[in-house]
Each structure stands twice: as C-alpha cells, then as structure tokens.
Amino acid sequence: MIPSRRSSTIAAPALVTGASSGIGRAFAERLAADGHDLIVVGRRRDRLDALAASLPGVDVQVIAVDLASDEGIAEVVATLAERPVSILINNAGVAHYMPFSDLPPGKAREIVYVKTLAPTLLSRAALPGMLAAGAGTIVNVAGMLAFSGPTDAAQPQGQRAAYVASLAGTVAMSQVLGAELANTGVTVHAVCPGIVATEFHEVQGMDLSVVLRMSAEDVVTAALAGVALGETVIAPGVEDAGLLETIFAADRAAFHGQAPTLATRYTQGDV
C-alpha cells in the first residue's frame, strides 16, 4: 500500500506527470488528500498553478515542461536527482490517432517521447532514491489498448498502431522491472483503464459523449487498490482478473516453448 505523509516512514513527495487534467490531476488530488506533498508536471502552467492553489496546506512544486522534448525530460530528471520521491506516477499522455502511413514523423516522435522515453528515464532517475529508502512505488498509466494487438481492420483499435505499441511496451516494462526489483521495497505497476471521461479524446477530435466511460477518480481508486493488492497489471474495468492471468500464462508458455531448432511449419511444404 502507498503510505501517506502522515506515516513516519515517508517524507519524500509524490511526482505526477500529466497532472494538469484528467487522470493525472485526479492522482494529484487523491495523493494530496492522503497527505503527500507533490511535484506536478505538465505543459500548462496555468492549470498546474490552479491545481496547486486548490490544495492548501500541501507543498506543491510546479514543473511546466513538455515531455515530448529532450529539455523537458531533462528538467524533470534533474529534479528527481535533487529531490527523491516516494511515488512516481508516469501519466503524461498523447495519442495522435490516424493511419500509420499518415502519421507525421514529428507526431510519431511525440508519442515515443511522452509514452515511452519519458517514463523510462523518469523511472530510472527516481530509482536511486527509492532504493536508498528501501521503499517506493512507480505507477505507469497505460490502457486496455495494450492488449489490442491481435486485432483486424474491422475493429476500432485500428489507426493507432504507434500508440498501442507504446502502451504494450509500458505493460511489459512494468512487469519486467517489477520482477527485477522484487524484495527491494520498490514496486512497479501498470494501470490499464478503458475509456475514461477526460478531455483526452476531445483533443483528438473524437466525441465520446454518448459512450459509457469510467471517471478519472475511479481509475485512481482502482490504481491505489491494485497497488495495495500487489497487482503488477491493474485493469480497473476488468471484473475477472483471471482473464489477465490467462494472457500472461500464454505469454510465459510461448516464451518457454521455444527451441534452438526451426519449428516444423517453417521447414515443410512450399515455404
């Protein structure tokens, strides 16, 4: 379970990226209510300042940067080197839904920076302080689209290949890093919500107002409960957790089912 500032064992703040709206803001507000001081990161200083002003009695450090840039990532990495944190919420998001052949290189780079490079480098920067303290929590916000790779053109997961790839990578990194850090006191989690009622889709030009959506606050509630339960992959809207374990068991079986010789299907027939 994520301890609060009221616990004598935790003094370091929590850092939340993408904190200016949606899930990130909900995380910041919930962690502040639980007694944590905050470092909030986002592109919109006006929104971050408004968030800080809404949390009286909480020490809030505002970092207004763009995590789609080397300079923005470097500033947050430098902050983590100077000020260890007990919790890191990697939540900053960007999508750019469109056919892959139409995806401009600049937008492809933005997806990779925000959804892959930034969480990787920020987690690496936060780890020394967490390991020194013998405790820490890293939460990487991904999404259920991480499991949508086996799809076809008729399904709505199409036209977002780069984004889906980034989410799948986030889940895999969380699983592998979590196993690497076992018994250190530092835990790593991937949160995979479905469609959430935030402005995320609006900025993509998508009107989902008629679609049933989970609230950002419920995503945070599930994330913190999943951390307490020891779940590495937290799926807020999936009632049967066994479905996830079925996926992971199949992954393990495929990985361990390999051999140093060619499978017969590649050596027979007119291949």
Side-chain angles (χ1 to χ4, degrees):
M1 178 179 294
I2 296 178
S4 74
R5 186 181 57 188
R6 300 181 185 95
S7 168
S8 61
T9 62
I10 292 293
L15 188 149
V16 182
T17 70
S20 58
S21 65
I23 295 173
R25 184 180 179 106
F27 260 116
E29 291 173 339
R30 173 63 180 272
L31 292 171
D34 287 346
H36 291 276
D37 290 329
L38 298 172
I39 304 172
V40 293
V41 180
R43 299 181 183 185
R44 298 269 308 262
R45 177 172 291 278
D46 58 333
R47 290 189 176 187
L48 295 177
D49 287 341
L51 171 62
S54 73
L55 301 172
V58 180
D59 179 5
V60 182
Q61 178 180 350
V62 169
I63 304 178
V65 295
D66 184 355
L67 291 179
S69 69
D70 290 315
E71 296 78 13
I73 293 174
E75 183 170 340
V76 183
V77 166
T79 298
L80 286 166
E82 297 170 359
R83 191 179 183 193
V85 298
S86 58
I87 302 166
L88 171 62
I89 309 293
N90 283 311
N91 166 75
V94 64
H96 301 317
Y97 297 160
M98 66 187 70
F100 189 75
S101 59
D102 295 339
L103 182 65
K107 291 187 175 182
R109 184 187 304 275
E110 187 177 9
I111 293 172
V112 172
Y113 264 63
V114 174
K115 296 305 298 177
T116 301
L117 185 62
T120 299
L121 295 182
L122 269 55
S123 296
R124 176 61 185 84
L127 265 181
M130 291 181 176
L131 290 172
T137 305
I138 298 173
V139 174
N140 298 312
V141 178
M144 288 304 294
L145 282 172
F147 305 106
S148 70
T151 188
D152 59 55
Q155 293 180 289
Q157 290 88 329
Q159 302 191 346
R160 58 191 76 177
Y163 180 66
V164 168
S166 72
L167 300 187
T170 295
V171 170
M173 184 183 79
S174 301
Q175 291 171 308
V176 175
L177 182 57
E180 179 182 325
L181 296 172
N183 304 316
T184 65
V186 180
T187 62
V188 185
H189 312 267
V191 180
C192 298
I195 301 176
V196 184
T198 69
E199 64 184 38
F200 181 78
H201 292 93
E202 294 175 15
V203 300
Q204 309 298 322
M206 302 171 67
D207 181 6
L208 298 182
S209 57
V210 298
V211 178
L212 293 177
R213 296 172 289 171
M214 184 174 289
S215 72
E217 291 75 17
D218 279 352
V219 172
V220 172
T221 294
L224 299 183
V227 169
L229 290 169
E231 294 181 353
T232 299
V233 179
I234 301 165
V238 177
E239 181 64 32
D240 183 1
L243 294 173
L244 295 174
E245 184 49 43
T246 297
I247 295 172
F248 305 147
D251 287 345
R252 289 190 292 267
F255 179 76
H256 293 296
Q258 62 183 315
T261 55
L262 283 176
T264 56
R265 66 183 178 280
Y266 301 127
T267 62
Q268 297 177 350
D270 298 326
V271 178

